[in-house]
Amino acid sequence: ILVLPFLAAPTWAVAVAIACFLALYVVMPAMSLPIPWPSTELLQRHVAEANTTYASGNALDVWRFSIRELNLLLPMHLWILPRSIGLFLLGILAWRSGFMQYQERHLRFLWIAGGVGILIGAATTIAIAVGATARWGIFGTLLPNISSLILAIGYGSLTLALVQHPVVGQVLKVFAPLGRMAFTNYIM
């Protein structure tokens, strides 16, 4: 719903909004925002409770748990909101440019962007996970968000390239209704 006004916006405004939302997402870890992030211990307790409730609870228990967890999940959604909006807008820009309608013309780019994006995103994610970026200062602080954007673009590009493959594309088309359903649930 938040991106719907951009459907009527000029293409240049969509491009500026993409840059702004994705830049905000990248720099958010360095900002002092009043959005609380749950502690590791709290998240571990929550997962343990979720495992118990969803495995053995009745419908009322699951419903109550789902309502209670909104307070925990809302800050996480606020943290990724700029990324989500930026990537949605990137999709609008890709459609308007004709990129999505003529993917076969951009197949080489899709393969390269997919491979490079996944390699760089995976390498930086591993570096972060093993603590190799701990002394990188501000760049080390921003790298997790940069890495997730690179991975998202890599995965998206690779998926679009694979859909164009004669054999793999047929296999992936089976999942198209699932993707449409997930998107419909997401926007509802």
Side-chain angles (χ1 to χ4, degrees):
I1 293 178
L2 296 174
V3 298
L4 289 179
F6 287 98
L7 292 174
T11 302
W12 68 266
V14 174
V16 168
I18 292 167
C20 291
F21 280 110
L22 294 183
L24 173 62
Y25 173 70
V26 166
V27 300
M28 280 177 72
M31 301 169 69
S32 294
L33 297 174
I35 304 171
W37 188 258
S39 69
T40 302
E41 297 78 24
L42 178 60
L43 290 173
Q44 288 171 339
R45 282 195 313 269
H46 178 75
V47 168
E49 186 180 354
N51 287 337
T52 302
T53 303
Y54 289 126
S56 60
N58 59 35
L60 185 60
D61 293 335
V62 169
W63 182 76
R64 286 180 182 152
F65 180 79
S66 296
I67 297 299
R68 269 196 342 267
E69 76 179 341
L70 289 176
N71 288 332
L72 180 67
L73 298 177
L74 182 62
M76 293 184 216
H77 285 292
L78 291 174
W79 274 105
I80 64 166
L81 185 64
R83 181 189 69 186
S84 299
I85 293 173
L87 292 175
F88 269 112
L89 293 174
L90 187 60
I92 290 172
L93 188 64
W95 183 264
R96 284 188 184 175
S97 70
F99 187 87
M100 299 303 291
Q101 295 88 331
Y102 304 105
Q103 294 172 37
E104 65 279 354
R105 294 181 188 170
H106 308 287
L107 200 51
R108 180 182 165 116
F109 170 79
L110 289 170
W111 283 110
I112 292 170
V116 170
I118 291 171
L119 285 174
I120 292 173
T124 54
T125 300
I126 291 167
I128 293 163
V130 300
T133 62
R135 290 187 232 153
W136 290 10
I138 189 70
F139 184 70
T141 302
L142 305 180
L143 192 58
N145 286 14
I146 295 169
S147 179
S148 72
L149 285 175
I150 293 170
L151 269 174
I153 291 169
Y155 286 140
S157 298
L158 184 62
T159 302
L160 291 174
L162 287 170
V163 167
Q164 299 301 316
H165 188 275
V167 176
V168 179
Q170 291 302 313
V171 173
L172 291 176
K173 285 182 182 179
V174 171
F175 297 102
L178 191 67
R180 285 187 206 102
M181 181 185 67
F183 180 70
T184 301
N185 285 334
Y186 184 80
I187 61 174
M188 294 180 104

